[in-house]
Amino acid sequence: MTPRRDEPHPAVRVHVPTGGRGVGGFVPRVGVVARGRKARAYSAPWSDEDVQRRRDQVLRGRCSECETLDGLLEAVRAGESRALVLRGEPGVGKTFLLEYLVGRASKIRVARVVGVQSEMELPFAGLHQLCAPMLDLVERLPGPQRDALRTTLGLSSGPAPDRFLVGLAVLGLLAEVARERPLLCVLDDAQWLDHASAQALAFVARRLGAESVAMVFATRVPDEAAELAGLPELAVEGLPDDEARTLLGSALRGPVDERVLQRIVAETRGNPLALLELPRGLTPAELAAGFGPPGARAIPQQIEDSFRRQLEPLDVETRQLLLVAAAEPAGDPVLVWRAVERLGIGAAAASPAATAGLVDIGTVVRFRHPLVRSAIYRAASPEERRTAHRALAEATDPRTDPDRRAWHCAGAAPGPDEDVADELERSADRAQARGGLAAAAAFLERAAELTPDPARRAERTLAAAQTTHHAGMPDAALRLLSIAEAAPLDKLQRAQTDLLRAQIALTVNRGREAPPLLLSAAKQLEPLDARLARETYLDALLAVMFAGALATDGSVREAAEAARAAPPPAQPLRAPDLLLDGLAIRFTEGYAAGLPILREALRAFRSPDLSEEELHWLWLAHITAGNLWDEETHDT
């Protein structure tokens, strides 16, 4: 009998953790693994007292950080709002600080979100975690915001919502929740939030005022969760040496050479998780003889290696079960059990993993630490990973979760597969319709990798590059663009690659490089796609305007003259066509000559029936309205 989604597998009862993730976050109690009428009790390695002691140890030396968090709670209780980003390397204790914050949040409603690495390609997955428990208040939002949020979360159909409206809707929803009592939003592993959620949540955090809302993010360093840049930050660093030695001593059994202790403390730089995990699995001889070459590996790799050593004693079926759980990003225990049943693995395989303190399978699958998940996945062979993804794909309902099923099918594919690539392309379309550009880009890139036909593969790679650029990831877009350019491209595709490279140059460096690239791309496009050519000339004019003093002499007039020589627009005239013609005349014949057509263009932009392509140029119309002192359009 297949278990319901809201209850554990009938053949196993595994505890729900009492603590958070991070250092010692997996907190097993005594549990029972049962099969049929036979039951066997097992004792988990850490008691509640063990975990509390570990928390106390890790929080020693954190007085300053705790004072900052206490001050944040006091401000929220007083009716103010706060945003804070905890930044630190993996295992430094960010999660424990969040647990401290939650534990002190009396008379405050707490909402929690945890980023999942393998869920980064699913648009608004993190936003769904935050907003789902609050949707009973969504009807209080203004109509456009309510519709945007409902469409984003897949609760209703409609056109792709504007991301600005989505951000406003989330801000409004949190404010409505905080009307009843102050609200604390705790967002752990923010570096693994999907791009769309990270953008929306950072947007909200920057606009908090007097809503009695606090948003506290925990993210890794360096250079992760770039969307959070500019928010108030609290650097979480390693423990002082004396506290580090105390914590390390709690993890050691038996005598250890003083020089070894000094080397461990120095190499870990006081990282609590490294101090607790690195001694696990090392023999007394290894501890006595030394701890390897100093600085040989980064701390996350050292910790992951420690977790990998803990996998070695486990039997094959237990490792297979762990691999399936690691490959399933949503942490759905029912789906995991369905998948492992297809592999012929029984529920008893969970017992050694739970006893080892690696994973907790209850109402949700939780690994002791994110690096446990990555260690399990990396330790598996490619064929083992494909087998796990194949079982998960077969266990996933294609009607209710087609995107996740397509992703697992891709993970199971041993080579190019057009059917899977088609499914991924449809998933990209659905993601883009929800406004999840980063997810759409990931689906398209994977689809391109699995496409057997070279021409079709080049087409999908180019589409992935374009979507990646629109998602705000220029380096990834350039990488995909280089792959596309190495494939056989027709004239239109070659012109599109040149256009995209120019657009990326405009986005990244608004100097003198972009205008000539855009003019060249526009010239190539004239006989191939007149409409796109005219829009590219508009981009070129914009690039020259942005370059300002960095532009070469005469470049504004050169771009304007090229735009005036462009193919005539199709009828009826669109707002961007009028804007291009008006700006071209403005920069070749003067302000007065361009004024009539520019005013006509601004009137066209005030239409409520603008297409998505026309909306792309709305902000340029806004700038033009300011230059013309057209307050009516400027304020629309």
Side-chain angles (χ1 to χ4, degrees), residues 10 20 160 233 264-265 527 634:
E233 293 190 3
I264 293 176
V265 170
H634 188 272

Side-chain angles (χ1 to χ4, degrees), residues 472-496:
M473 298 179 283
D475 292 339
L478 286 172
R479 175 181 57 81
L480 289 168
L481 197 55
S482 298
I483 296 173
E485 288 174 322
L489 301 175
D490 59 30
K491 290 183 178 179
L492 177 58
Q493 290 172 328
R494 186 66 62 183
Q496 288 172 331

Side-chain angles (χ1 to χ4, degrees), residues 17 19 22 78 135 278 294 352 389 468 508 536 556 563 634:
L135 291 179
L278 290 179
H389 283 292
T468 302
V508 174
T536 305
V556 174
H634 188 272

